[in-house]
Amino acid sequence: MLLIFDLDGTLIDSRLDLAHAVNATRTQAGRGPLPHEQIFSFVGNGAPVLIKRSMGPDASDEEVRNALEFFLDYYRHHALDYTVLYPGIHDALNLLHGSGASLAVLTNKPVRISHRIMEGLGIASLFFKIYGGNSFEHKKPHRIGIDTLRAEANAPVEETWMVGDSYVDVQTARNAGVASCGVTWGFQPETFQEFPPDVLVDRLEDFADRFVRPSAS
């Protein structure tokens, strides 16, 4: 079995660090801070989209480029200031890993920062691959990430799951023809109303119990 996880809002609560980095970027550009909830609503499609939305429609292309460069540099140095695993994540990942399932991360976050965060939180070794938004020509919801991971894990479609906290992950799963599991604790669970996942869970342990333990017994 191949289980592919989103990162922000699914495995890690990175809200404060992302919000602080965005508002530091806006301050550097001479703009006022945005409410944290507004910033959270921009997360999920990668750093370029996050910064373009955060800078607003009146920002020039040059301003957005400069802001993105500042944001990425700032965030590299502050990505673990407040970021933590969501409750129960570490135990559930250990259970899934111990069952023999192949675990991977497919995020739209830059891959080097993703690696650093996962290493800092002690979960990187549980995953056979970590791919970010700059790992492929296309970001989620394009299917290229799932297709690549399936080929590398030799996993059939019917034994592959995409787990995430927003419509982006559900669309990615649909585009690749695999099953999707939505989590209710992330950044944008309200988007599941329009794009419902195959399964919705309140705890990652529920996913592990339902799909891994029966197959491992």
Side-chain angles (χ1 to χ4, degrees):
M1 181 173 291
L2 172 60
L3 307 177
I4 306 169
F5 295 86
D6 175 48
L7 188 57
D8 293 283
T10 301
L11 300 180
I12 64 170
D13 184 353
S14 53
R15 294 171 188 254
L16 277 179
D17 287 332
L18 287 169
H20 291 168
V22 165
N23 279 334
T25 300
R26 284 181 56 86
T27 297
Q28 189 269 343
R31 297 168 183 254
L34 295 176
H36 286 185
E37 290 299 327
Q38 184 177 0
I39 295 172
F40 302 156
S41 72
F42 297 155
V43 176
N45 292 282
V49 174
L50 170 62
I51 293 306
K52 185 173 181 60
R53 290 175 176 172
S54 298
M55 289 295 289
D58 61 325
S60 68
D61 290 344
E62 182 179 2
E63 285 176 315
V64 172
R65 283 194 300 270
N66 291 338
L68 178 60
E69 182 178 352
F70 178 90
F71 170 83
L72 291 173
D73 183 66
Y74 182 97
Y75 189 56
R76 283 189 199 101
H77 292 91
H78 297 277
L80 284 166
D81 287 357
Y82 297 99
T83 293
V84 294
L85 296 174
Y86 284 105
I89 294 296
H90 200 282
D91 288 344
L93 289 176
N94 276 319
L95 176 62
L96 292 164
H97 184 264
S99 75
S102 297
L103 308 186
V105 159
L106 180 61
T107 174
N108 281 339
K109 192 184 207 74
V111 66
R112 291 179 66 181
I113 296 176
S114 300
H115 267 281
R116 178 171 172 262
I117 291 172
M118 293 175 66
E119 288 167 0
L121 296 177
I123 60 170
S125 63
L126 299 175
F127 296 85
F128 88 98
K129 280 292 171 67
I130 301 169
Y131 285 132
N134 54 346
S135 295
F136 305 105
E137 183 179 358
H138 304 286
K139 295 180 174 64
K140 294 184 299 182
H142 196 280
R143 63 182 294 166
I144 186 170
I146 291 181
D147 289 346
T148 300
L149 286 165
R150 281 190 50 241
E152 291 173 340
N154 194 28
V157 166
E158 62 272 14
E159 293 183 9
T160 301
W161 285 80
M162 179 76 217
V163 183
D165 71 311
S166 81
Y167 76 98
V168 174
D169 303 299
V170 175
Q171 283 187 307
T172 307
R174 288 180 181 175
N175 290 341
V178 306
S180 60
C181 175
V183 304
T184 60
W185 57 81
F187 288 11
Q188 299 177 27
E190 69 279 0
T191 61
F192 293 145
Q193 295 178 11
E194 185 176 356
F195 299 92
D198 296 299
V199 171
L200 187 64
V201 297
D202 295 322
R203 306 180 315 141
L204 192 60
E205 294 98 316
D206 296 337
F207 180 79
D209 289 344
R210 181 169 182 173
F211 297 104
V212 176
R213 277 178 173 156
S215 64
S217 61

